[in-house]
Amino acid sequence: MPATDLSLLVKAAEQAGDIACRYTGPDAKRWDKPGGAGPVTEADLAVNTMLEDMLQQARPGYGWLSEETEDSPARLTREKVFIIDPIDGTRSFAEGSRTWAHSIAVAEHGEVTAAVIYLPQRALMYTAAKGKGAACNGSPIRISAAAELTDTEVLAAKPNLQPHHWQGGTPPAFIRSYRPSLAYRLAKVADGRFGAMLTLRPSWEWDIAAGDLLVREAGGTISDRSGKLLRFNNPHPRLNGVVAGNTSLHTALIAALDPAGPGIAGH
């Protein structure tokens, strides 16, 4: 069934890309969500409407969790749930950048089993199904083989290097890089371009779900900032940060992080 779901997600992502690319990011109508939750554009809403109609019609028994749909506890009663970010990297989209992505996943009993991250303006379609490996544009991808943090680049925003996150107050030495879309960051770890990534702030499930499976199916390890396995379709759909990479790099980052650092204990 994951392979069948993946075929559906690919078709949905292609249609999402067609819709989003009809809009010129800087000219798209834009609003700021209440409570400092970030921007949303008319493209986000148009893509979300199409995905909700298409996917729920195809799989009426699946639950639904999307950044742009009001959440409902009904999803908690479903064995399988779609977890969707119609456009991950909305700020980049609104600025006219090409580094935004559609992030679409299916989770079953808390585990992601099918996933797509699609960057239509970069012609990159990342796909994964449980037990079937991960691919980009149909070609298998694999996690980096770097053994030491000093031998690779780590995707991390600058605030993640603040001393209070790290044991001894000093982060490990590594080359820091950045991409605005969290889904894209996870995809670039899965395809081996970057050795690892981390985000230490509370993170929404829809930003992470598809990338979680890509990393695992590419041979990597992914967890929250405390090293705990990621589980999805939680009552409060927020996770305690994300750390991803090959096993060696993931272990090194988790060991260097301060377990008493700021997080979202209880969620």
Side-chain angles (χ1 to χ4, degrees), residues 36-254:
V40 62
T41 72
E42 58 183 335
D44 295 81
L45 301 181
V47 170
N48 189 66
T49 296
M50 181 280 293
L51 290 174
E52 192 165 7
D53 289 346
M54 177 183 179
L55 295 176
Q56 292 203 304
Q57 182 174 353
R59 302 285 191 273
Y62 289 19
W64 182 262
L65 175 63
S66 168
E67 180 176 11
E68 308 305 345
T69 303
E70 185 176 354
D71 196 12
S72 166
R75 64 180 170 81
L76 301 175
T77 67
R78 306 296 178 89
E79 292 184 1
K80 296 184 179 182
V81 59
F82 290 111
I83 303 178
I84 309 293
D85 193 342
I87 296 179
D88 183 45
T90 296
R91 285 187 179 88
S92 294
F93 175 84
E95 292 167 0
S97 168
R98 299 185 300 129
T99 54
W100 48 273
H102 305 296
S103 180
I104 310 175
V106 171
E108 182 175 2
H109 298 299
E111 178 188 5
V112 181
T113 55
V116 167
I117 294 174
Y118 181 41
L119 286 83
Q121 293 193 333
R122 288 182 175 268
L124 294 173
M125 177 75 77
Y126 292 93
T127 57
K130 182 180 178 181
K132 302 296 183 180
C136 180
N137 294 346
S139 297
I141 56 176
R142 193 72 184 168
I143 208 86
S144 168
E148 303 289 340
L149 288 170
T150 51
D151 296 336
T152 189
E153 292 181 76
V154 176
L155 285 164
K158 192 173 182 179
N160 293 292
L161 304 186
Q162 292 178 356
H164 62 269
H165 291 301
W166 303 91
Q167 298 203 44
T170 304
F174 53 74
I175 301 169
R176 183 186 71 86
S177 297
Y178 184 68
R179 297 291 185 275
S181 162
L182 183 49
Y184 188 34
R185 279 177 257 169
L186 287 164
K188 295 310 291 179
V189 171
D191 74 10
R193 169 60 182 85
F194 295 89
M197 64 78 64
L198 60 96
T199 182
L200 302 178
R201 60 177 175 78
S203 303
W204 295 106
E205 290 187 16
W206 46 72
D207 293 327
I208 300 163
D212 166 80
L213 185 63
L214 276 171
V215 169
R216 291 189 288 110
E217 287 293 324
T221 301
I222 184 168
S223 72
D224 72 7
R225 60 173 293 158
S226 70
K228 292 180 180 177
L229 182 71
L230 300 182
R231 303 297 293 178
F232 295 88
N233 197 29
N234 298 291
H236 182 71
R238 221 167 187 188
L239 303 172
N240 191 15
V242 181
V243 180
N246 66 35
T247 300
S248 296
L249 301 182
H250 178 271
T251 298
L253 287 169
I254 292 295

